[in-house]
Amino acid sequence: MKTHFYDIESLDNVFTLCNYKPEENSIDVYCLCDDDKLLNLLNFLSQLTEHIHKCNLNFNGTVKFYNLHDKS
């Protein structure tokens, strides 16, 4: 049985869902932001990944980012 752990955050202009998949040692981050300029995708993703690793010292996996404005 696969067990995933997730966290949802919702602010006035940003919605995020983070889903940790232990069998893949990865975290999927889904984000919907009213203003994509706030994300500045490459910078945001690198800062997010760094923060996740800093706050979760036992996690050494990958972080995958999905912008929910992107239909693909």
Side-chain angles (χ1 to χ4, degrees), residues 3 18 23 26 30 52 68:
T3 302
C18 296
E23 73 278 2
S26 69
Y30 298 90
I52 288 171
L68 294 177

Side-chain angles (χ1 to χ4, degrees), residues 54-72:
K54 178 181 173 186
C55 293
N56 301 280
L57 298 176
N58 58 340
F59 174 70
N60 60 0
T62 59
V63 178
K64 300 173 195 167
F65 181 78
Y66 300 94
N67 183 347
L68 294 177
H69 276 291
D70 184 5
K71 294 182 188 221
S72 62

Side-chain angles (χ1 to χ4, degrees), residues 14-28:
V14 179
F15 168 84
T16 61
L17 181 146
C18 296
N19 182 43
Y20 171 57
K21 299 184 285 187
E23 73 278 2
E24 295 179 18
N25 196 28
S26 69
I27 297 174
D28 290 336

Side-chain angles (χ1 to χ4, degrees), residues 13-51:
N13 61 345
V14 179
F15 168 84
T16 61
L17 181 146
C18 296
N19 182 43
Y20 171 57
K21 299 184 285 187
E23 73 278 2
E24 295 179 18
N25 196 28
S26 69
I27 297 174
D28 290 336
V29 178
Y30 298 90
C31 183
L32 182 60
C33 183
D34 289 344
D35 184 0
D36 276 343
K37 294 176 191 170
L38 293 175
L39 296 181
N40 187 3
L41 289 178
L42 293 176
N43 191 29
F44 174 75
L45 181 55
S46 65
Q47 289 180 7
L48 175 67
T49 302
E50 182 180 313
H51 187 72

